Amino acid sequence: MRTLCENVKDSDIGKEFTLKGWVMRYRDHGGLIFIDLRDCSGIMQVVFDENLDKESFKTAKKIKNEYVVSITGTVGKRPEGTENAELKTGTIEISAMRIQIINASETLPFQIDEEADVNEFTRLKYRYLDLRSKRLKDNLIFRSKFNHAVRRFLDDEGFLDIETPFLTKSTPEGSRDFLVPSRLNRGHFFALPQSPQLFKQILMVGGFEKYYQIVRCFRDEDLRADRQPEFTQLDIEMSFVEMKDIMSLTEELFKTIFKSLLGIELDLPFKIMDYDDAMNIYGSDKPDTRFGLLIASLSNIFCNSSMNLFKNAISNGGAIKAICFQGGSNILSRKDIDELLSIAKDFGAKGLAWTKVADNGALEGGISKFISENEKISVIEKTGAKNGDIIFYQADEKKTANMVLGRLRLYLAKKYKLIPKNRFELLWVVDFPLFEYSEEEKKTVSVHHPFTAPAEKDLEILELNPLSAKSDSYDLVLNGEEIGGGSIRIHNPKLQGKIFDILAISREEARLKFGFLLDALSFGAPPHGGIAFGIDRILMLLRNENSIRDVIAFPKTQKAYCPLSDAPSAVKDKQIKELGIRLSDTRI
RNA sequence: GGGGCCGUAGUUCAGAUGGUUAGAACGCCGGCCUGUCACGCCGGAGGUCGCGGGUUCGACCCCCGUCGGCCCCGCCA
C-alpha cells in the first residue's frame, strides 16, 4: 500500500509507510544519505543511515536524480535545528529501511525546476520533464480546477454540455480553416471548427435552451504568445435572452470562479464601456484600465492653430489627440523621446510632437513655441497635465491618431512599469459597429460575424447607413486582453437576408456556405444569443504567465511545430494517394 | 509576407579591434564526508561555436545564404 507525501503528518511519527515517487534531490554525506522524494502531492525527505540497514544503504548509493523509487521506512521527527520551513513536510522525515529502484533515469537534458530559463524549444521537446516542474504542474492543476468550477457552475444553472462535430464544413468567412481531406468523398474536405458557432445556434433551434461546452477550436493563422493553432473555448448559448442576461450570467460565473480559485471577491456588475469611448480614450477595443495615460481630444483647441501640422490635420477631417505622461519630463531624456518617435513611426505615425510642462507651468521644448497661451490653458485642462509632465501629440486621421497613442500608451506603461501587479480589471466593451469597410476586400464586412443581431434602435438606419449601425454584441476584457465575446444572434430569416444583402453575399452564396443554418432558422428559431471565452488566455492572466503555452500541456512553437511529437510531418505516398490528392511541390 | 532580438559544453552564459590551447557556473563521472536540504571538499571528462558557402595566411568573430527559437506588425469574422 502506497502513501502520498502530503498524507504523512507529524502525528504519524513512529508509523511505517511506503512512499513511491521521483528522486528530486540527492545529498550523499558518506555514512548518511538524504533524498527529497517527489510525488504528485508534494515532497518528503528520506534519510538512509548506514547503521540502520546495510542492504538498502548500498542500493541508495546507486540512486541518481529522477530515478523512480519505492521507499519503506518509519516517520521520524527531524532533529531540532534541522527542520525545513520551506517544505510542508519539513518537520518530519522518513528513515528508510527498504528501497527498491523501480526505474532508472538517463541524465536529464536540463535540470527540473531551475531558476535559469532553459531554452523553450528544449523544454518542449522534453515536455514531460518540464511538466514535472512545480510551475507547470501548478498551472495544469489550476486549469483542471478552473474547468471543474465552470462545469459545476453551469450545471447548477441548468446548462447542458453538448458536443459538436470536429469534422465539419469549411466556412471561408473568418480565419483560415484547417482542412481534412475526405477519403470516402474524393476531392471534398472537412474543416476543423474555428468555433462551434453554427452548431450551437442550431442546438437552440433544436430546443436546448441552455448549452455550454469546453471545446477545442482550430484556426490556421500565425501564432503569438496568446495564440495557438488549437485553443480552448468555453462556449455558451441561450434561448429567449437579451444582452443583459448573458452579461449577468457571465458576471456570476466569474464571481464564482474568482472566489473559489483565487479567493478574490469581484464587484458586480462589471464596468461597461462603449466601443467609441474605448477607441477614443484608450486607442484600443480591449482597453487596459489598470493605469492612466488616457487619450485626450484636442481638436477643438487647435482648429485655429498657427501650426500647419495641426491646422492641416483638422482641415483634412482629422483630429489632434494627446496623452500626458506623468513626471515624464524628468524621466525621459532627449534620446528616449527620439526612440519614442521611431516607435510611434513603427505604429504608423507620421511623427510624434511633444511638449514638456515646466516647473512654472509653461510648455517647453518640442512644439511649445507654436502653442498660444490660450491654447496652452486648454491643453493643460484637457490632458490634466501637471508640472513635470510631458505631453505627446498626434495629428492625423482620428483612427490612426487613436491607434498610435493607444499603442504608445501600452509601450510607456510596460517600459516604465506603470501597470499595478496582482490586479484584475474586468470590463465589458459594448456598442460595437455591426459592419466595417474592408479596404482589402473593398466591401462592407461584419465586425463580429454575419449572424450578429443589429441593435434594436439601429434597425431603421440599417438600410440608409449600415456602417453607422451598432450591434447587440459584447466583448469581455481582462487587463487589456480580450478574453471573451459574443452577441445576440439574428433569429429572423428576413433580417438575416437583409444583412447578407448589405454584405453583398448573394442568396446562392449564402445557401452554399450556411444553408443548413438558414434552413434551421426558418423553422421557428427562438431568439438566442451567447458568448465564448478563451480559456487559455484567462488562465494565462490568472496564473500571471506571459504566454498561453505555459497553461497548455502540449503547446506548439511559433511555427506551429510540436518538438515533442515532431508534428506536422511528411506522410507516406500511399496515404496521400488514398485521399485522392496530390502534392504540388515536393520541397518537404 | 515583413520588422526586431537570439543560436558557443548536457544546461545557462562569457568570449575587445579576426591570431594559434574556446572559458565559467550548474549538471555529469570518480573519490572523501553522519544532519543535509541549491550540502560541502578534492579530482576528471565533456565542444562540427546551428548548417552551407565566401573573404583572409588565418574566422566563434567579417560577408552572403539557409535552418531554428522568441517577441511584434500584417493575419486571427
Side-chain angles (χ1 to χ4, degrees):
Chain A
M1 168 96 175
R2 176 220 183 177
T3 305
L4 290 175
C5 289
E6 71 172 359
N7 291 334
V8 183
K9 305 287 183 200
D10 288 51
S11 53
D12 292 322
I13 287 170
K15 290 186 196 158
E16 183 178 297
F17 288 114
T18 297
L19 303 183
K20 298 183 187 198
W22 288 262
V23 174
M24 198 169 81
R25 255 174 214 116
Y26 179 84
R27 296 180 291 277
D28 185 348
H29 286 241
L32 199 64
I33 297 168
F34 297 96
I35 67 174
D36 294 340
L37 187 76
R38 182 193 67 238
D39 64 22
C40 65
S41 73
I43 296 164
M44 175 66 72
Q45 172 163 284
V46 179
V47 202
F48 293 87
D49 190 323
E50 204 169 15
N51 303 318
L52 201 63
D53 185 89
K54 282 269 176 331
E55 198 55 37
S56 65
F57 191 82
K58 226 171 104 188
T59 309
K61 280 278 181 190
K62 292 185 216 152
I63 290 175
K64 286 170 191 150
N65 281 339
E66 298 303 312
Y67 275 30
V68 180
V69 294
S70 169
I71 286 163
T72 303
T74 50
V75 182
K77 191 173 164 57
R78 292 197 191 190
E80 208 173 317
T82 66
E83 297 91 351
N84 185 348
E86 307 271 302
L87 287 185
K88 274 187 194 157
T89 58
T91 54
I92 51 175
E93 63 191 4
I94 300 282
S95 291
M97 295 181 301
R98 280 194 301 283
I99 174 165
Q100 187 199 348
I101 294 175
I102 298 172
N103 217 342
S105 168
E106 296 292 323
T107 299
L108 302 173
F110 58 89
Q111 285 156 263
I112 294 169
D113 224 7
E114 283 287 301
E115 290 298 312
D117 316 299
V118 176
N119 179 324
E120 197 171 357
F121 189 85
T122 311
R123 285 172 32 211
L124 288 177
K125 182 166 177 185
Y126 302 96
R127 189 64 167 177
Y128 39 87
L129 295 180
D130 208 19
L131 290 172
R132 290 183 194 170
S133 72
K134 184 163 167 38
R135 174 169 153 234
L136 285 193
K137 192 178 85 173
D138 286 350
N139 284 352
L140 292 181
I141 291 171
F142 188 90
R143 185 171 187 135
S144 173
K145 292 195 156 127
F146 179 94
N147 285 348
H148 191 67
V150 165
R151 291 205 154 99
R152 195 167 40 214
F153 175 87
L154 290 172
D155 191 62
D156 286 350
E157 293 285 327
F159 283 79
L160 292 172
D161 179 356
I162 302 175
E163 291 166 270
T164 50
F166 274 7
L167 294 176
T168 181
K169 187 178 170 66
S170 173
T171 51
E173 309 283 300
S175 81
R176 193 177 293 113
D177 283 326
F178 278 101
L179 293 179
V180 181
S182 167
R183 179 179 57 86
L184 297 174
N185 303 275
R186 291 231 161 169
H188 287 217
F189 295 81
F190 294 105
L192 302 180
Q194 301 166 21
S195 81
Q197 183 60 37
L198 271 40
F199 286 102
K200 69 174 173 177
Q201 290 192 237
I202 289 169
L203 284 171
M204 293 304 107
V205 182
F208 294 98
E209 300 184 16
K210 291 176 167 185
Y211 145 92
Y212 86 99
Q213 191 180 188
I214 292 177
V215 62
R216 200 67 57 83
C217 301
F218 306 87
R219 294 182 188 173
D220 189 5
E221 297 292 347
D222 287 0
L223 284 73
R224 290 282 190 285
D226 64 352
R227 276 161 39 186
Q228 284 272 306
E230 51 179 312
F231 62 99
T232 306
Q233 276 190 354
L234 166 58
D235 197 41
I236 294 177
E237 195 79 4
M238 297 165 81
S239 293
F240 306 108
V241 288
E242 298 171 20
M243 267 176 71
K244 61 173 173 37
D245 300 311
I246 306 272
M247 289 164 78
S248 63
L249 174 86
T250 298
E251 290 170 357
E252 291 297 339
L253 170 67
F254 274 79
K255 189 182 171 70
T256 304
I257 288 171
F258 269 68
K259 175 143 194 201
S260 66
L261 269 60
L262 301 170
I264 292 175
E265 206 60 66
L266 290 179
D267 288 333
L268 302 193
F270 298 162
K271 279 184 237 165
I272 299 178
M273 193 182 292
D274 286 356
Y275 171 84
D276 286 341
D277 284 347
M279 296 309 287
N280 279 320
I281 301 171
Y282 294 91
S284 166
D285 61 357
K286 42 176 185 173
D288 192 338
T289 53
R290 288 174 299 171
F291 59 96
L293 278 167
L294 304 183
I295 302 172
S297 176
L298 307 181
S299 305
N300 293 338
I301 301 172
F302 288 112
C303 44
N304 294 314
S305 171
S306 64
M307 195 173 18
N308 286 333
L309 175 70
F310 282 7
K311 204 165 60 189
N312 291 344
I314 291 171
S315 58
N316 290 337
I320 315 296
K321 314 256 345 197
I323 53 173
C324 167
F325 180 25
Q326 267 186 29
S329 108
N330 297 322
I331 297 170
L332 297 178
S333 67
R334 189 53 209 254
K335 206 178 130 201
D336 292 329
I337 296 175
D338 286 345
E339 197 190 309
L340 285 174
L341 166 66
S342 112
I343 284 162
K345 281 186 173 165
D346 289 344
F347 293 157
K350 296 185 180 69
L352 182 67
W354 56 275
T355 55
K356 291 182 171 180
V357 187
D359 290 338
N360 60 9
L363 293 184
E364 260 182 7
I367 58 163
S368 55
K369 61 185 164 188
F370 303 107
I371 297 179
S372 73
E373 189 58 25
N374 278 341
E375 287 169 343
K376 186 206 95 171
I377 291 167
S378 306
V379 166
I380 299 270
E381 190 200 321
K382 279 269 190 180
T383 59
K386 299 202 171 53
N387 297 356
D389 292 353
I390 185 164
I391 302 168
F392 293 105
Y393 305 82
Q394 281 295 301
D396 211 315
E397 271 180 60
K398 189 166 138 188
K399 209 171 143 186
T400 309
N402 282 338
M403 189 266 288
V404 168
L405 288 176
R407 289 190 182 177
L408 203 62
R409 172 177 182 270
L410 290 174
Y411 176 85
L412 288 169
K414 261 184 210 133
K415 176 153 186 189
Y416 297 100
K417 306 205 186 326
L418 307 178
I419 306 174
K421 292 256 177 249
N422 304 320
R423 202 156 125 200
F424 297 107
E425 294 244 349
L426 280 148
L427 170 79
W428 289 108
V429 178
V430 300
D431 274 343
F432 281 83
L434 187 58
F435 305 109
E436 64 189 343
Y437 185 76
S438 162
E439 287 295 337
E440 193 192 336
E441 296 175 60
K442 302 284 176 220
K443 59 177 277 209
T444 300
V445 297
S446 291
V447 167
H448 199 47
H449 57 58
F451 319 110
T452 306
E456 187 138 354
K457 64 177 168 62
D458 289 344
L459 283 174
E460 309 269 306
I461 60 168
L462 209 50
E463 280 168 272
L464 298 165
N465 186 6
L467 284 172
S468 73
K470 304 288 188 188
S471 65
D472 263 355
S473 68
Y474 31 84
D475 274 5
L476 186 63
V477 176
L478 172 55
N479 292 354
E481 289 264 1
E482 185 197 328
I483 58 162
S487 62
I488 299 301
R489 330 293 182 191
I490 298 167
H491 60 276
N492 173 337
K494 237 185 210 165
L495 179 58
Q496 187 65 64
K498 201 183 278 178
I499 299 292
F500 283 141
D501 289 345
I502 294 166
L503 294 170
I505 296 176
S506 71
R507 291 300 139 101
E508 296 75 46
E509 205 183 340
R511 281 227 69 75
L512 218 58
K513 287 177 177 168
F514 323 108
F516 63 117
L517 175 67
L518 301 180
D519 284 346
L521 292 178
S522 71
F523 289 102
H528 60 286
I531 191 163
F533 302 96
I535 287 189
D536 312 280
R537 282 186 191 171
I538 294 173
L539 292 166
M540 170 182 83
L541 294 168
L542 298 192
R543 296 300 296 169
N544 218 349
E545 295 287 0
N546 290 318
S547 163
I548 63 172
R549 293 188 298 276
D550 294 325
V551 295
I552 295 173
F554 301 106
K556 294 175 179 56
T557 69
Q558 197 163 50
K559 273 270 181 65
Y561 173 72
C562 173
L564 175 73
S565 63
D566 183 38
S569 56
V571 294
K572 292 222 165 81
D573 287 348
K574 179 170 172 265
Q575 290 175 279
I576 305 255
K577 229 178 199 165
E578 261 176 356
L579 295 168
I581 56 179
R582 208 166 48 222
L583 297 181
S584 67
D585 90 34
T586 48
R587 260 187 309 150
I588 310 161

